[in-house]
Amino acid sequence: LYPQVAWEPLRAKIQSLSSFNEQARWWQRLLVGFAEEIELDGSGRILVSPALRKVASLQKQVMLVGQGSRFELWDAERWEAKLVQAMQMAGSSPPPGTENFAL
């Protein structure tokens, strides 16, 4: 989930990819083709369309995970499984670029 101001530069980059490249065309179809502008309802909620729920494999319970300038929306069960996996990987080598981080 991106605020409009953060989404527009990304959309422009995606749309500028070559339409002669099959992988680029699929990125355009998936990322721009499924993009929807969503308004909050009177209670501050969003309604995720059935098409987006299907693509994202969202069931009844979801997790909204903040990522700075955007949010990720996860099916709660899938999030828990990925979180366990990430915690197990956290004890191994750090991701590139974080070697000198102090926690």
Side-chain angles (χ1 to χ4, degrees), residues 1-16:
L1 303 170
Y2 287 90
Q4 189 73 30
V5 68
W7 169 245
E8 285 303 323
L10 291 171
R11 185 195 57 76
K13 282 183 182 179
I14 296 163
Q15 287 300 103
S16 72

Side-chain angles (χ1 to χ4, degrees), residues 3 9 12 18-19 23 28 40 44 56 69 84 89 91:
S18 172
S19 62
Q23 186 177 15
Q28 291 166 340
L40 298 176
S69 64
V84 167
M89 287 178 21

Side-chain angles (χ1 to χ4, degrees), residues 1 36-40 45-49 52:
L1 303 170
E36 295 180 8
E37 189 169 328
I38 300 173
E39 303 256 341
L40 298 176
R45 300 171 298 188
I46 60 170
L47 177 63
V48 179
S49 72
L52 287 177

Side-chain angles (χ1 to χ4, degrees), residues 18-80:
S18 172
S19 62
F20 294 108
N21 179 293
E22 184 177 358
Q23 186 177 15
R25 278 196 322 272
W26 276 108
W27 271 60
Q28 291 166 340
R29 289 175 185 134
L30 294 172
L31 298 176
V32 177
F34 280 99
E36 295 180 8
E37 189 169 328
I38 300 173
E39 303 256 341
L40 298 176
D41 70 8
S43 298
R45 300 171 298 188
I46 60 170
L47 177 63
V48 179
S49 72
L52 287 177
R53 287 195 312 262
K54 182 178 180 181
V55 168
S57 301
L58 299 177
Q59 302 300 317
K60 187 161 180 74
Q61 298 292 322
V62 298
M63 285 292 299
L64 189 62
V65 182
Q67 295 295 300
S69 64
R70 69 185 192 283
F71 288 96
E72 291 181 351
L73 190 60
W74 285 81
D75 175 75
E77 286 185 20
R78 290 182 71 201
W79 170 254
E80 289 297 326

